[in-house]
Amino acid sequence: MEKFDSIVIGAGHAGCESALALARTGNKTLLLTISLDAIAFLACNPSIGGTAKGQLVGEIDALGGEMGVNADKTAIQIRMLNSGKGPAVQSLRAQADKNEYHTQMKKTLENEKNLIVRQGEVDSVEIDGENKIITTHLGIKYQAKSVVFATGVYLKSEIIIGSTREKTGPNGFKNSENLSNSLKKLGIKLLRFKTGTPVRLHARSVDFSKMEIQNGDENIQPFSFMTENKIENRAVCYLTYTTPKTHEIIRANLDKAPAISGEIKGVGPRYCPSIETKVVRFADKERHQLFLEPEALETKEMYLQGFSTSMPAEIQKEMVESVIGLEKAEIMRDAYAIEYDCIDPTQLKPTLELKGVDGLFFAGQINGTSGYEEAGAQGLIAGINANLYNKGKDGLVLKRSDGYIGVLIDDIVTKGTNEPYRMMTSRAEYRLLLRQDNADMRLTEIGRKVGLVDDKRYQKFLHKKQIMKEIEEKLETKVKVDKKLEKLFSDNEETLPKESMKLRDVMKRNNIDIYKIDKAYNLFNEEEKKFLEFVNINIKYEGYLKQQQEDIDKMLANENVSIPEDFKYEGLKGIRTEAIEKLSQIGPFNIGQASRISGVSPSDIAVLSVFVKKFKEEKKKK
């Protein structure tokens, strides 16, 4: 039986980040995957990032993860979403080359010196004191101190197309039939969820002249703070729409739709529904947006985003041919739904370690989440904490005020989820502070502390901080009310001040920004736009940022009041029975987390705070 420090089960986006984090922090690590061909596979849409997801990728990168680096290497188109809105909701999205993304990530894993990548299906996990014993379907056993489960949607997964069910994973990859039972034996509660993916079409059969072209953006900051080259847009996407005929075909065949008829028992994602669910739910809507996206540069396959379905194949053909520009479309792969087992994430600590069983960590879609970016974020944190566990150190817990990763993990372990969880900007109450452009300022020091930020990345980070400081110092310059200032105010329809003022205060005028000041006073010597934009946002939104920081400081007062692990909730007077049940089930680590549990009221928290304080005082006396 070969021994490792850590074993990671699954090589999707969560598994890759976990394995790399462990290996790069000096752990002898084994990465087991059902298929080497499924490593970092983009099973659904061939893209990285998107609304709120771009922030997650930026945070993964700032902590020293790999997703942003790999996305930049393999991007064939890049766009900033919501560029016309405020900076809090702007998110980067890249169309990735599906085949190249897999190839580059596999190469990265293979080149990592402390990492062994092995094909094999895990059938069971057993606990032997401090050690965990993993057994594969071939009877091979491995031993490790810590294990990360990053199994994605492969646990007892079934592909569903119409009335056809097939026990397989995405894209025809083998599924895992036995590991679910092993998890149950450990007392882990499982859920059954469902997701799906659209048809793939041959590009030659598409009439692009009937569609709206969607070009990428030029000179956009890439995902990774380490990427120095500009990303070249090498592909275009297209926008099209469903028609009344599409909706008519769907309504006439709802009895054959597994997502509607009840054939599918798993709970699907509310924010990414099938096209038949959209037609039923939004009955008065005349059309739905669809995006046609290239899967890779070296293939003619195209992905029809927004057209997820599990209808029978012959109905899918009718539906597709009713869409504008797809009248003669050739389907290369049928759309399908997939049902799979996952765990109830409230069984996890905020470190993503299983409560009651030390050294078992869970990350990605096995935790009831959806999306590559959500998976990668959890995988990175699980890997970091498995490393800290191996070394006998306290785990890393990112707070909601630290980043979207903190929001994501706090949401799932505190509130749980009754559907595949998807990150959205609306879930982050401090989103103006948690922008994509400042992820390194928020998290790189943490990444350095846990051993994932190397010297090269850290020097780039310190260089950026120095430039920011120099830019802000220049904006402290006081300028007189002279012809130059008069022209600046006049050109931008602002009222001229009566006395001299600092340039940073000039910037706070509605119609004046850092670029206009630079043009007027030639201050920044052609400094890179990304640095100027960073300072521009910080000064323009200074009042809002200050308010959010004050809200964070109030929140942290509760986050800093820990609840001892041996604290008992049963029998506490003054707290409602429902609240006691929820608190006992979740076992919050601090008063802040307790206050976010569904069913626990502010009055319950007030009483709980008193009991916790009393418990700590009595414990100290003893």
Side-chain angles (χ1 to χ4, degrees), residues 491-505:
D491 288 350
N492 293 287
E493 299 178 350
E494 291 285 353
T495 304
L496 189 68
K498 293 180 180 178
E499 55 188 31
S500 61
M501 62 193 301
K502 290 181 180 180
L503 285 173
R504 65 176 291 118
D505 294 324

Side-chain angles (χ1 to χ4, degrees), residues 61 69 72 224-229 454 456-458 460:
D61 184 71
V69 174
D72 289 344
S224 176
F225 296 99
M226 298 303 290
T227 301
E228 295 178 352
N229 298 328
D454 61 19
K456 185 179 178 183
R457 180 183 285 273
Y458 196 59
K460 285 200 76 168

Side-chain angles (χ1 to χ4, degrees), residues 135-390:
T135 306
T136 72
H137 70 302
L138 297 176
I140 303 171
K141 292 182 182 292
Y142 301 99
Q143 178 183 304
K145 186 174 181 180
S146 62
V147 175
V148 178
F149 291 87
T151 53
V153 297
Y154 286 81
L155 296 185
K156 287 194 173 177
S157 58
E158 289 185 282
I159 297 290
I160 304 157
I161 302 175
S163 59
T164 303
R165 277 182 175 263
E166 189 178 358
K167 291 185 177 182
T168 182
N171 210 53
F173 292 123
K174 185 182 178 186
N175 75 346
S176 172
E177 277 295 309
N178 299 319
L179 188 53
S180 287
N181 296 330
S182 184
L183 295 177
K184 280 183 184 177
K185 286 178 183 176
L186 290 174
I188 297 172
K189 179 186 174 184
L190 300 182
L191 306 172
R192 191 76 173 163
F193 278 1
K194 164 254 172 185
T195 185
T197 189
V199 294
R200 278 26 172 219
L201 307 173
H202 198 301
R204 71 182 173 202
S205 65
V206 177
D207 187 349
F208 296 112
S209 67
K210 295 182 178 179
M211 301 179 179
E212 298 172 34
I213 195 165
Q214 303 283 297
N215 290 306
D217 293 336
E218 297 298 328
N219 300 314
I220 290 291
Q221 170 68 20
F223 284 111
S224 176
F225 296 99
M226 298 303 290
T227 301
E228 295 178 352
N229 298 328
K230 187 179 81 169
I231 292 177
E232 183 185 346
N233 290 303
R234 295 175 287 163
V236 294
C237 301
Y238 296 88
L239 170 64
T240 187
Y241 298 90
T242 59
T243 63
K245 186 179 179 182
T246 313
H247 300 191
E248 185 184 315
I249 293 166
I250 290 170
R251 291 192 185 100
N253 291 282
L254 286 176
D255 58 320
K256 302 180 186 71
I260 305 294
S261 67
E263 170 68 23
I264 291 176
K265 304 298 180 189
V267 182
R270 202 172 5 143
Y271 300 103
C272 188
S274 65
I275 187 65
E276 53 265 33
T277 301
K278 283 193 271 191
V279 167
V280 170
R281 189 182 296 168
F282 307 105
D284 58 339
K285 201 163 184 179
E286 292 183 3
R287 64 179 189 173
H288 290 279
Q289 271 191 346
L290 304 173
F291 290 92
L292 203 59
E293 303 167 337
E295 290 260 291
L297 292 178
E298 299 300 322
T299 180
K300 295 293 184 181
E301 275 190 83
M302 299 199 78
Y303 177 92
L304 189 57
Q305 188 197 146
F307 208 78
S308 178
T309 182
S310 55
M311 283 281 201
E314 65 274 15
I315 306 298
Q316 289 189 31
K317 181 174 169 58
E318 286 184 53
M319 289 161 57
V320 168
E321 289 175 350
S322 69
V323 171
I324 296 169
L326 302 181
E327 295 83 0
K328 296 180 180 179
E330 298 172 21
I331 295 177
M332 295 181 74
R333 300 182 202 241
D334 295 304
Y336 61 81
I338 182 168
E339 277 190 322
Y340 55 95
D341 287 347
C342 55
I343 74 165
D344 179 346
T346 60
Q347 298 166 104
L348 302 176
K349 300 175 185 178
T351 57
L352 297 179
E353 185 179 20
L354 185 68
K355 295 172 185 173
V357 184
D358 294 343
L360 290 190
F361 297 83
F362 290 76
Q365 288 186 270
I366 193 174
N367 289 345
T369 60
S370 70
Y372 314 139
E373 302 81 4
E374 290 88 340
Q378 293 169 73
L380 182 60
I381 298 301
I384 288 170
N385 282 320
N387 164 60
L388 294 171
Y389 170 80
N390 288 349

Side-chain angles (χ1 to χ4, degrees), residues 8 21 256 312 442 452 520 523 569:
V8 178
K256 302 180 186 71
R442 293 184 278 114
L452 282 180
L523 278 181
Y569 298 94

Side-chain angles (χ1 to χ4, degrees), residues 559-573:
E559 298 294 315
N560 292 332
V561 181
S562 62
I563 301 176
E565 284 192 37
D566 55 346
F567 182 82
K568 304 295 181 189
Y569 298 94
E570 294 80 6
L572 294 180
K573 293 181 180 179

